[in-house]
Amino acid sequence: MSDPTAVFSIYDEKEREIHAVVQEVYDALKEKGYNPINQLVGYILSEDPTYITTYRNARALIRKVDRDDILQAMVRHYVDL
């Protein structure tokens, strides 16, 4: 009997990376006293990096992730795909 084949999806790894970045940015915004949801939404809609604090390198981190990828990951998560 052989071991079951592990299925690897590039989307799974990419979404883990996106989640880690968004969580890190969320935590930095919250620590600085901002409303992280409003700030992240503002950034995603406008691509204006000033919505994101430079604290804990959050602005540089979020700019490494494409906004479309963030939105796709959020929608996939929301509808449990």
Side-chain angles (χ1 to χ4, degrees):
M1 179 190 256
S2 64
D3 291 331
T5 302
V7 177
F8 174 77
S9 169
I10 189 127
Y11 291 111
D12 292 341
E13 184 60 33
K14 189 174 190 177
E15 286 196 22
R16 276 192 286 277
E17 291 172 15
I18 292 168
H19 175 77
V21 167
V22 171
Q23 187 66 58
E24 181 88 17
V25 170
Y26 179 95
D27 292 344
L29 288 163
K30 191 167 186 172
E31 284 179 29
K32 290 300 282 182
Y34 295 107
N35 179 323
I37 300 298
N38 289 348
Q39 298 303 114
L40 283 163
V41 168
Y43 170 73
I44 290 168
L45 292 176
S46 70
E47 200 173 6
D48 180 355
T50 61
Y51 277 98
I52 307 300
T53 182
T54 58
Y55 177 68
R56 289 178 44 186
N57 206 31
R59 188 176 295 167
L61 279 173
I62 198 74
R63 294 187 83 186
K64 290 180 180 181
V65 181
D66 187 88
R67 291 178 313 144
D68 289 342
D69 291 340
I70 295 171
L71 285 170
Q72 287 177 20
M74 289 178 170
V75 170
R76 271 196 292 276
H77 179 76
Y78 189 78
V79 297
D80 293 324
L81 292 178

